[in-house]
Amino acid sequence: MADYQYGGSEEENAELQKLENELLDDPDNFETWEKLVRAGEALEGGINRNSNPQAITTARANYDRFLAKFPLLFGYWKKYADLEFSITGTEAAEMVYERGIASIPPSVDLWANYCGFKAETSHNSDIIRELFERGAACVGLDFLSHPFWDKYIEFEERIEAQDKIFAILARVIHIPMHQYARYFERYRQLAQSRPLTDLAPVETLAAFRAEIEAALSQPVPGAKAEAEIERDLRLRLDSYHLEIFTNTQTETTKRWTFESEIKRPYFHVTELDEGQLTNWKNYLDFEEAEGSYARIQFLYERALVTCAHYDEFWLRYARWMASQQDKEEDLRIIYQRAAYLYVPIANPTIRLHYAYFEETAGRVDVAKDIHHAILVNLPSHVETIVSLANVCRRHGGLEAAIEVYKTQLNSAECEMSTKAALVAEWARLLWKIKGSPDEARMVFFNNQQYYIDSLAFWRSYLVFEIEQPTSAATESVQYDRIKQVISDVRSKSTLQVNAVKELVQIYMNYLLERGTTDTAKEYMTLDREVHGPASVAFARTGGSAAALPIPANIQPAPVPIPQPSQEDPASQAYAYFQQAPVNGLPA
């Protein structure tokens, strides 16, 4: 890329190359991206239709890459559209606007700019009005949507469509918004000169007329009667409109508390403070309690512009949508937007939920692919590996799940700490799902030599043995097994002293809860050795041997297993089952 020419002067090309190199080192640096876009626009003194093709290509490529990474920045969509208009003209600018509103549908500013641009550059009123109606469907309910509605009314005023203006106002006066009173005053003023049929639904007019006629003690004949009825009707309709105003005022006041706390209604890469997140949650709680599907969905869309990187909001939106009837495709789109565009891969929870959703829809292969996609970026993510194993178990049986663990244990990209956790998960499968604690025990026993420095492995091994069900007749056998694990921890592991103390303390608690008459002495001995002063304490009893590397193609020699005494009546029930080590090694 060093020889790549950006279409500018030598100095401009060098600056662009410098910024490109910085992005290679830190691809998420927002400030560097902004500098790159500005540098591209500034080539040759500012890109225009007369700039050389290479400079134009550079400027466009910078915008495309920037907005692919940060699609919620409405201001940059506007700037990109302006740039395209200056280079190519109306059609190219409209294509950018369409991409922008597809990326950020609830942006009042972007819709207002796009519709205003269309009104200035098109002579077809129907096409312009159609675009405004699309915008109204996307942002008309916004508490701060007045710039959009003003632009719509301004367009209709320009072509002197008074009936359309009145129809727009008739819609707006029902919407709780910041400047509701201004729209109502204009509506009320225009209503004085509008036909009665424009002022209320037909059934409402009929009901009001019936009330007025019934109230007349003596019907007045002819035109005079009709004039009086119309006068009374207009008075009644004015009261009706004031009721609408009062209701809108009440609804606006309800939302004012939440709206006034929104300090950043737009997207930015910097984190939101906890107060802002809490306010959005409370606002969503309020709208959900109000029960309007349209308003709830719109508020979620607004919140997810500001909170796009927070998977908790995407999960909440998905759960709410899942509760609605016949919304499977809408739910899928929510998951896809979160997983493909917005939530960082470092937070894979929403992607796992997406996988479960696809599994419930019968698309098991898609669910597996989602797991694999996460592991491409997070090859050591334990939760994802365990989740994938469970998906495979549900649809392919226990062996399919074990194959997942085997693959990951043989992977060079998977960290040793993760492999230790996976061994424990493998053992848990054999114990909980297959119902074979002996096989699970052999998984732990045969693999301890590879994970002698893993606290997670030893803790899982110890807890596994402690949680085995026992009876009075078999408790002594299980006690020997648990004691052997602790002995191995102290003599064979390379854990830090504090980690050894933690595990020994678990064992000491076991002694107090389930030990026999002789275990108090053992407890006190361990207490002295593990928690005593430095002069008498020694948590570990062995050396500091390193963990053995896991062989790629060689099976370790079988580990001798101590057998219970033949006199023990439970010897057959507790005979160890010999199993190959769980590292994907051949049996």
Side-chain angles (χ1 to χ4, degrees):
M1 200 169 184
D3 297 329
Y4 186 81
Q5 295 300 309
Y6 297 98
S9 66
E10 185 175 336
E11 183 180 346
E12 289 172 332
N13 289 344
E15 176 63 18
L16 283 165
Q17 184 63 65
K18 172 177 168 291
L19 293 170
E20 291 284 5
N21 291 337
E22 289 179 9
L23 287 177
L24 286 176
D25 295 333
D26 185 6
D28 296 323
N29 191 308
F30 181 72
E31 291 183 3
T32 306
W33 276 107
E34 284 191 308
K35 291 177 182 177
L36 184 71
V37 170
R38 288 197 296 268
E41 281 186 309
L43 288 172
E44 297 188 318
I47 296 295
N48 56 59
R49 67 179 67 249
N50 297 318
S51 299
N52 78 66
Q54 189 60 62
I56 292 173
T57 299
T58 298
R60 283 173 170 160
N62 289 349
Y63 264 113
D64 287 337
R65 291 160 57 206
F66 177 61
L67 290 170
K69 190 169 185 65
F70 304 106
L72 297 176
L73 298 172
F74 69 89
Y76 279 94
W77 285 111
K78 168 69 165 55
K79 292 175 68 176
Y80 191 9
D82 290 343
L83 178 68
E84 283 293 2
F85 182 65
S86 69
I87 297 172
T88 310
T90 303
E91 186 174 344
E94 287 186 5
M95 290 176 65
V96 172
Y97 272 122
E98 286 291 339
R99 288 169 58 192
I101 60 174
S103 298
I104 179 170
S107 173
V108 173
D109 295 285
L110 192 57
W111 272 107
N113 281 315
Y114 184 18
C115 291
F117 173 81
K118 190 74 171 179
E120 294 291 337
T121 57
S122 175
H123 301 291
N124 189 320
S125 298
D126 291 336
I127 291 178
I128 298 170
R129 190 173 290 118
E130 181 182 338
L131 183 63
F132 270 112
E133 285 300 317
R134 285 174 58 198
C138 289
V139 300
L141 295 178
D142 197 295
F143 193 80
L144 297 175
S145 60
H146 54 275
F148 170 81
W149 289 113
D150 288 345
K151 192 74 70 174
Y152 196 175
I153 293 170
E154 178 187 316
F155 159 70
E156 297 293 4
E157 286 175 337
R158 189 185 310 167
I159 60 175
E160 299 181 350
Q162 295 299 319
D163 55 335
K164 299 292 185 183
I165 295 172
F166 190 74
I168 293 170
L169 291 169
R171 293 160 64 185
V172 174
I173 62 172
H174 292 274
I175 302 172
M177 66 168 68
H178 182 261
Q179 298 189 14
Y180 69 97
R182 172 166 64 88
Y183 293 108
F184 179 77
E185 286 301 322
R186 185 168 184 190
Y187 174 82
R188 194 180 184 192
Q189 180 183 7
L190 292 178
Q192 297 174 10
S193 58
R194 301 299 301 176
L196 289 174
T197 52
D198 289 353
L199 303 183
V202 174
E203 57 274 14
T204 303
L205 278 173
F208 289 166
R209 177 179 283 274
E211 289 176 11
I212 292 169
E213 290 177 348
L216 291 174
S217 56
Q218 293 183 349
V220 181
K224 184 177 180 181
E226 187 59 34
E228 288 188 8
I229 290 174
E230 180 173 340
R231 181 198 64 196
D232 291 345
L233 257 178
R234 286 190 177 276
L235 290 173
R236 180 65 184 87
L237 285 168
D238 190 57
S239 298
Y240 167 70
H241 293 147
L242 285 172
E243 291 171 9
I244 293 174
F245 172 79
T246 301
N247 181 67
T248 303
Q249 184 180 53
T250 300
E251 295 300 314
T252 301
T253 303
K254 287 180 184 178
R255 291 162 178 82
W256 185 265
T257 302
F258 305 108
E259 292 287 346
S260 63
E261 291 298 319
I262 298 174
K263 308 304 181 187
R264 196 176 80 190
Y266 52 85
F267 170 81
H268 199 273
V269 293
T270 55
E271 293 184 357
L272 289 164
D273 61 59
E274 192 59 37
Q276 290 289 287
L277 296 174
T278 300
N279 184 61
W280 280 113
K281 293 172 188 175
N282 292 340
Y283 201 174
L284 288 166
D285 288 340
F286 164 77
E287 285 294 4
E288 287 175 1
E290 291 291 295
S292 168
Y293 175 87
R295 294 202 65 86
I296 296 168
Q297 184 182 32
F298 178 73
L299 187 61
Y300 268 113
E301 292 292 340
R302 269 187 74 194
L304 285 168
V305 171
T306 303
C307 310
H309 287 171
Y310 294 84
D311 59 353
E312 61 184 296
F313 285 90
W314 288 103
L315 285 168
R316 175 172 177 157
Y317 190 14
R319 288 162 179 158
W320 173 78
M321 187 62 74
S323 70
Q324 310 302 309
Q325 293 293 323
D326 302 320
K327 295 294 182 181
E328 180 177 308
E329 195 57 35
D330 297 78
L331 182 54
R332 177 174 286 111
I333 291 170
I334 290 170
Y335 279 125
Q336 289 175 342
R337 288 165 60 199
Y340 299 163
L341 297 174
Y342 299 120
V343 179
I345 189 65
N347 302 329
T349 302
I350 188 71
R351 292 166 174 81
L352 293 177
H353 278 256
Y354 177 29
Y356 304 148
F357 164 74
E358 293 293 8
E359 183 184 357
T360 62
R363 305 172 72 191
V364 178
D365 288 341
V366 174
K368 292 178 182 177
D369 288 343
I370 294 169
H371 283 84
H372 288 303
I374 297 172
L375 293 175
V376 168
N377 293 279
L378 301 173
S380 296
H381 192 253
V382 175
E383 183 183 356
T384 300
I385 298 171
V386 173
S387 177
L388 175 59
N390 285 328
V391 171
C392 292
R393 178 190 57 77
R394 289 193 291 271
H395 299 278
L398 184 63
E399 290 304 317
I402 291 176
E403 188 61 34
V404 171
Y405 289 131
K406 184 182 297 185
T407 300
Q408 296 302 320
L409 288 168
N410 281 331
S411 171
E413 295 181 345
C414 192
E415 297 173 357
M416 287 300 292
S417 59
T418 296
K419 290 182 179 182
L422 297 184
V423 169
E425 288 295 331
W426 190 329
R428 192 185 64 81
L429 270 181
L430 294 171
W431 172 32
K432 295 287 189 179
I433 307 301
K434 191 175 182 180
S436 178
D438 290 336
E439 290 187 62
R441 182 173 293 113
M442 290 309 302
V443 168
F444 283 116
F445 193 90
N446 283 353
N447 282 275
Q448 61 178 276
Q449 58 188 317
Y450 306 119
Y451 305 107
I452 59 176
D453 58 350
S454 171
L455 175 60
F457 173 85
W458 288 108
R459 185 192 291 115
S460 297
Y461 190 3
L462 178 60
V463 170
F464 161 76
E465 292 292 10
I466 290 175
E467 290 185 352
Q468 294 305 306
T470 60
S471 64
T474 61
E475 182 66 44
S476 61
V477 176
Q478 195 60 30
Y479 162 75
D480 289 338
R481 290 172 176 155
I482 298 169
K483 184 176 181 179
Q484 184 61 49
V485 174
I486 285 298
S487 176
D488 290 343
V489 167
R490 299 183 70 191
S491 64
K492 297 179 181 180
S493 79
T494 57
L495 298 174
Q496 296 293 322
V497 171
N498 286 339
V500 174
K501 288 182 177 181
E502 176 187 330
L503 297 176
V504 173
Q505 186 61 53
I506 294 174
Y507 175 61
M508 291 168 65
N509 293 340
Y510 158 78
L511 291 176
L512 293 179
E513 294 171 0
R514 291 166 54 182
T516 61
T517 55
D518 298 328
T519 53
K521 181 179 179 181
E522 182 181 359
Y523 177 92
M524 295 303 294
T525 300
L526 287 171
D527 182 69
R528 182 188 72 245
E529 294 177 352
V530 173
H531 300 302
S535 59
V536 299
F538 52 98
R540 283 205 297 260
T541 59
S544 56
L548 294 177
I550 300 175
N553 298 305
I554 302 174
Q555 179 177 343
V559 180
I561 308 300
Q563 298 293 331
S565 168
Q566 293 301 317
E567 286 75 19
D568 182 355
S571 61
Q572 294 302 316
Y574 285 91
Y576 285 90
F577 182 90
Q578 182 70 31
Q579 176 175 310
V582 185
N583 286 297
L585 305 176

